[in-house]
Structure formats: C-alpha cells, structure tokens
Amino acid sequence: MGPLLAVFIALGLNLAPLGATQVTVTDHPKPGTVGRPDTYVLTPATAGEAGELPAGTWQMHDPSGADWFLVRVTGSVLHLTDPESGMTEEIDLVASLGLSKGEWWNGDSVSATGAEPLALTHRPDGVDVSLTGVLVGEVRY
C-alpha cells in the first residue's frame, strides 16, 4: 500500500458517516503517469474465526474484489491486519509522512513533508483529491 492510498483510506474512514455500509476509494494515475484507476471497496467487517473485532473495523477489498486487509483508523493512525496471517501493523501518517497534526481530513488541503499539497474538495457523498489541479483520488460513502 502506497502513501497516497493510505491517506485516501484514512480520509474516507474518518469522514464516513455513522452507519455507512460502504466506502469506496478510487486511486487515479498520478500526473505524468499512464494507467487505469484502481478502486478499493471497504465494508464493515464482521467477526469470523478470529473472534471479536475492534469497533470500527472495515474489510478492505482489493481492485479485483478479493478480501485484502482489515482496516480501522484512530485519527491519523491506520491499523492494518492481514486476516490470513494475523499480522498487524500500525501506521501513523503524521509521523511517517509528516502530515499536520489534528484533523487534517476536515481541511481543504493536506501535504506530506516536502511534497506538493493535496487539495481536498468535500462533497455531500465524499471527497475529491487533486494534486496540482489533477484528480488523483476519490472517496465515496
């Protein structure tokens, strides 16, 4: 998972309204690159063989629709679990990318240390994310 996708996921899960049944994250090719957008779908996770899950845990599906990670956010911290291996990882986006402290997902822009800022356009159904005027991501709930 790249840093932009991690930012999009934190953005979506922090802003998803209570009771949302799905969050979609579309990662568009970056300016100057060629490719097709990838769409990741997150749905509320249910307890399985592993037992109870922490509140706010989402099942993330890869672009082909297969289960990928279990994900939850605590502000700027992503909590990732590989359901097959049980391995977990916590990624603090403020510490690892140099994002500003506080609720950056509510603002009009966010930037990592030394990077161009991402413009956030808040919509009733999600957020559009642009880099130098080009759409690079969409989050919908």
Side-chain angles (χ1 to χ4, degrees), residues 61-86:
H61 306 277
D62 70 17
S64 70
D67 291 352
W68 195 18
F69 289 106
L70 293 173
V71 182
R72 65 186 174 85
V73 296
T74 308
S76 290
V77 179
L78 284 180
H79 306 270
L80 303 171
T81 301
D82 179 342
E84 289 187 24
S85 69

Side-chain angles (χ1 to χ4, degrees), residues 12-111:
L13 295 183
N14 275 302
L15 291 175
L18 188 62
T21 59
Q22 180 172 298
V23 173
T24 59
V25 174
T26 302
D27 187 6
H28 293 275
K30 309 313 166 265
T33 64
V34 178
R36 299 175 58 144
D38 288 324
T39 298
Y40 303 85
V41 176
L42 294 100
T43 55
T46 56
E49 293 178 17
E52 292 298 313
L53 296 171
T57 300
W58 294 75
Q59 174 66 63
M60 184 172 178
H61 306 277
D62 70 17
S64 70
D67 291 352
W68 195 18
F69 289 106
L70 293 173
V71 182
R72 65 186 174 85
V73 296
T74 308
S76 290
V77 179
L78 284 180
H79 306 270
L80 303 171
T81 301
D82 179 342
E84 289 187 24
S85 69
M87 300 275 301
T88 61
E89 183 175 1
E90 289 187 358
I91 303 168
D92 182 339
L93 298 177
V94 170
S96 63
L97 298 177
L99 301 182
S100 59
K101 293 181 181 178
E103 297 183 358
W104 52 264
W105 49 89
N106 286 319
D108 294 331
S109 68
V110 62
S111 62

